[in-house]
Amino acid sequence: MPVRYPEGLVHGFLVLHALDGKSLADGDLIQSVRGDQVTSRLMLHFHDGSVSEETSVYSQRGDFRLISDRLVQKGPAFKTPMEVFVDARSGDVTVHYTEDGKEKTAAERMELPADVANGIVLTLIKNLKPDAPPTTVSMVAATPKPRLVKLLITPSGEDPFSVGGTRRKGTHFVVKIQIGGIAGLLAPLLGKQPEDTHVWVLEADAPAFVRSEGPMFSGGPLWRLELASPIWPAAAPAKRR
């Protein structure tokens, strides 16, 4: 996907909720840049002790191109604790997971296309125009065995929200997983078709992620990820020199 808005230095605060509003986790998005290479870390610390951490490295020389992605999910919030590493250049994919109390490993060398988007889907969506035609990218999904699927990203109009009393509009994108093959044809019949993910982006001179709703792992519940603002403790005004 062509780079419309190059990424830069970022440190953002995040909060994760269930759709009923229950607070589940808080975390950080930390991003650094060296030359045309970006390293992005998205960390979530759950109130039950679970952890989700994803580190993505990608280049942005004309087009976005994934270099590597490492995802760690562990703790009671995740049905199958796992660590997934994708080397987009060599095609090596390794999944360490726990099943029935036993640690297992699935490793494969896959033919990964240039549009593989693990860990950078939100970045790609920020670079889509609100009137863009449906866009397809690839992703390595761990089920826990790694398999290549397609993501169909489609703009779906605008939804209103407000910031500090000021009304804004966020462009709504729907991300649908296309499994493909016989498995894809049977998935809806067997009740295994993954839920869609919904992403909202504020369109401006510098587009900003606002919210996403979707599962964070195969068969997982729908969770809402949003930006968070610091909350200061009540205290007397700071003394001025």
Side-chain angles (χ1 to χ4, degrees):
M1 184 178 295
V3 177
R4 295 178 63 213
Y5 303 102
E7 293 291 314
L9 186 68
V10 171
H11 190 155
F13 303 107
L14 301 168
V15 62
L16 186 73
H17 290 97
L19 295 190
D20 63 4
K22 179 182 177 181
S23 177
L24 300 175
D26 53 66
D28 299 80
L29 172 63
I30 300 174
Q31 191 169 272
S32 59
V33 181
R34 171 175 284 185
D36 64 0
Q37 183 170 297
V38 182
T39 300
S40 177
R41 295 178 63 207
L42 195 160
M43 299 165 287
L44 292 171
H45 299 278
F46 288 70
H47 306 323
D48 65 3
S50 302
V51 173
S52 176
E53 181 174 337
E54 186 163 24
T55 302
S56 306
V57 181
Y58 59 95
S59 63
Q60 54 178 355
R61 187 190 302 121
D63 297 305
F64 291 108
R65 185 71 60 91
L66 181 69
I67 297 173
S68 67
D69 181 68
R70 179 177 178 266
L71 172 66
V72 177
Q73 294 179 331
K74 58 185 179 180
F78 300 100
K79 181 173 61 176
T80 304
M82 65 174 62
E83 177 181 348
V84 184
F85 181 75
V86 178
D87 187 328
R89 290 176 169 173
S90 67
D92 290 332
V93 179
T94 305
V95 183
H96 300 290
Y97 63 100
T98 302
E99 187 176 66
D100 299 326
K102 298 180 180 180
E103 295 185 359
K104 300 182 178 181
T105 298
E108 292 190 18
R109 172 158 288 187
M110 308 175 68
E111 292 186 10
L112 299 180
D115 66 352
V116 65
N118 287 63
I120 62 172
V121 173
L122 296 182
T123 297
L124 299 182
I125 289 177
K126 287 195 301 181
N127 281 264
L128 287 175
K129 296 180 180 180
D131 58 352
T135 301
T136 301
V137 297
S138 303
M139 186 180 76
V140 177
T143 61
K145 180 181 178 180
R147 65 179 302 166
L148 194 64
V149 299
K150 294 291 186 180
L151 302 181
L152 180 65
I153 306 172
T154 306
S156 184
E158 293 182 326
D159 292 324
F161 68 99
S162 62
V163 177
T166 302
R167 291 180 60 83
R168 309 288 183 94
K169 288 185 178 181
T171 301
H172 179 193
F173 293 88
V174 179
V175 183
K176 182 181 293 292
I177 296 180
Q178 298 179 320
I179 299 175
I182 297 298
L185 294 175
L186 295 178
L189 301 177
L190 299 176
K192 295 183 179 181
Q193 175 64 36
E195 294 278 357
D196 295 343
T197 293
H198 300 262
V199 179
W200 287 265
V201 172
L202 173 66
E203 296 293 338
D205 293 338
F209 164 78
V210 179
R211 166 189 279 188
S212 69
E213 293 180 358
M216 288 184 62
F217 57 92
S218 178
L222 301 181
W223 289 338
R224 177 181 297 135
L225 184 66
E226 298 177 290
L227 297 176
S229 298
I231 299 176
W232 297 90
K239 294 181 178 180
R240 304 287 184 181
R241 289 188 177 182

